[in-house]
Amino acid sequence: MRGREQQLDANRWMDAYFDHLRVEKGLSANTLEAYGRDLRDFADWLEENGGGSALEAGEDQVRLHLFQLKQKGMASRSIARKASSLRGLYRFLLKEDAIASDPTRLLDVPRPGAALPRDLSLDEVEALLAQPDTSEPLGMRDKAMLELLYATGLRVSELLRLRLQDLNLEVGYVVAYGKGKKERLVPAGEIALERLRQYLLSGRPQLAGRGAGRARPDKNPYLFLNRNGRKLSRQGFWKLLHQYALRAGILSPVTPHVLRHSFATHLLEHGADLRSVQLLLGHSSVSTTQIYTHMNRERLKQIYQRYHPRAT
């Protein structure tokens, strides 16, 4: 009976922790899902190994859990993320006096080296952006989305959350709402703005009117609509991006984040400073943006190895 009470108590504290992450930290649904998966895995492991609830776990159990994940071949990056999830939980529990000590306080998990993100060449970007058929509404929408994504470096969630009121085509910027609902102004180039004008004039009105008899999607405030006049989903965007990449002959995977990385990399290659790129991407810390300087260094090394007569 005591064990069941402990488990119920642990569940209540877990719910409180996720409320804290959602409301006070403003974490996205995807981040919350990742945290939940990590913490459920740990709770299941404790149950399977007779360790009681998360409130009773000690330092040795936390270390053993992570060690066994490593033995099973889990990547160091994934282990580091799971360790971070556990640290966050136990720091919250300690602060709320739910536990007497933090079992992760001495946990030392090496930070894995940041993986260099994939980016597209200028030729690949041009080929991708040329794919939508702008003679019909969906093609106008897709052209506007792809041009805007590459012109601004928005996250796909930011792109699909854009509302009509978030555009200022005369001045040439969009209002993006990033992680933690932080608002920022992002300038857009004239090519992307022109494609937006075409979509708003000839494409979006047709899409908005397709379901007007049901939930009045003609009143939908969102900028990018699906074929039924409703807000386009992330899954829908990923599918069409994948299809356009294949048509463009790009063999490596192309995701919305690849376009975001390409935006940042191409800016830096053409002389933009790191601080400006940080602001455009909406990174809270310049250290997050510094990965792109590593990308440039790697590219310089490749150019040197290829062209310098005494490189090898």
Side-chain angles (χ1 to χ4, degrees):
M1 188 68 180
R2 177 61 181 164
R4 178 168 177 74
E5 290 177 358
Q6 282 279 359
Q7 188 57 56
L8 289 173
D9 201 23
N11 291 341
R12 283 193 291 270
W13 277 112
M14 198 73 76
D15 290 342
Y17 177 55
F18 278 96
D19 286 341
H20 163 75
L21 294 178
R22 185 182 302 106
V23 177
E24 297 185 32
K25 296 292 186 181
L27 298 187
S28 69
N30 288 340
T31 303
L32 288 171
E33 183 180 349
Y35 272 61
R37 188 165 53 247
D38 292 340
L39 297 178
R40 282 194 302 272
D41 288 347
F42 181 57
D44 291 344
W45 181 87
L46 286 172
E47 185 176 351
E48 292 170 4
N49 291 272
S53 74
L55 295 177
E56 302 168 286
E59 182 180 336
D60 289 343
Q61 288 168 303
V62 172
R63 289 182 181 278
L64 180 59
H65 172 60
L66 298 175
F67 177 71
Q68 289 184 354
L69 293 176
K70 183 177 181 180
Q71 281 188 317
K72 292 178 180 178
M74 179 172 286
S76 59
R77 182 175 299 278
S78 298
I79 294 174
R81 192 200 68 224
K82 287 180 178 294
S84 177
S85 298
L86 291 172
R87 280 196 193 100
L89 171 66
Y90 282 111
R91 286 174 181 172
F92 171 79
L93 294 176
L94 186 66
K95 183 179 178 182
E96 297 294 322
D97 294 325
I99 55 176
S101 63
D102 177 3
T104 68
R105 66 190 184 283
L106 299 178
L107 198 61
D108 182 22
V109 179
R111 292 173 63 90
L116 297 182
R118 152 95 171 130
D119 64 285
L120 301 176
S121 68
L122 289 173
D123 288 341
E124 287 175 322
V125 170
E126 291 292 341
L128 178 67
L129 298 181
Q131 296 311 307
D133 177 8
T134 55
S135 66
E136 49 90 28
L138 290 176
M140 293 179 199
R141 178 203 65 188
D142 296 348
K143 181 75 168 177
M145 283 194 301
L146 293 177
E147 288 282 3
L148 186 61
L149 199 61
Y150 177 62
T152 59
L154 294 179
R155 301 175 179 92
V156 65
S157 57
E158 295 170 343
L159 179 81
L160 299 179
R161 274 201 300 262
L162 286 175
R163 299 161 298 173
L164 294 172
Q165 68 189 54
D166 297 327
L167 299 182
N168 189 322
L169 299 182
E170 292 184 5
V171 179
Y173 69 81
V174 299
V175 180
Y177 295 90
K179 294 183 177 179
K181 298 182 180 179
K182 292 180 181 177
E183 177 183 319
R184 72 184 189 281
L185 300 182
V186 186
E190 186 54 41
I191 295 176
L193 293 173
E194 183 56 38
R195 290 301 178 181
L196 279 171
R197 293 186 190 102
Q198 181 186 17
Y199 166 63
L200 289 171
L201 180 65
S202 305
R204 190 181 183 281
Q206 294 190 54
L207 296 177
R210 289 182 177 180
R214 289 175 288 176
R216 296 304 303 273
D218 54 319
K219 301 297 183 183
N220 195 321
Y222 291 100
L223 175 59
F224 295 114
L225 307 179
N226 64 19
R227 63 177 63 250
N228 297 315
R230 306 184 188 284
K231 179 176 177 283
L232 183 67
S233 68
R234 290 168 61 99
Q235 293 84 355
F237 181 81
W238 276 66
K239 287 179 183 177
L240 68 89
L241 179 60
H242 176 68
Q243 292 167 358
Y244 286 135
L246 290 178
R247 287 190 211 171
I250 303 173
L251 301 180
S252 57
V254 177
T255 67
H257 234 63
V258 168
L259 275 179
R260 180 169 160 86
H261 294 320
S262 303
F263 162 83
T265 301
H266 296 168
L267 277 175
L268 288 168
E269 286 181 345
H270 287 81
D273 64 276
L274 198 64
R275 172 62 176 165
S276 298
V277 175
Q278 175 200 349
L279 293 174
L280 290 169
L281 290 174
H283 288 163
S284 57
S285 170
V286 74
S287 62
T288 310
T289 319
Q290 284 175 340
I291 189 171
Y292 295 105
T293 64
H294 300 318
M295 293 178 69
N296 284 344
R297 285 199 292 269
E298 287 297 317
R299 188 157 295 171
L300 286 173
K301 284 166 59 179
Q302 292 170 9
I303 292 171
Y304 178 84
Q305 292 291 335
R306 182 174 179 180
Y307 294 109
H308 195 281
R310 301 183 73 84
T312 56

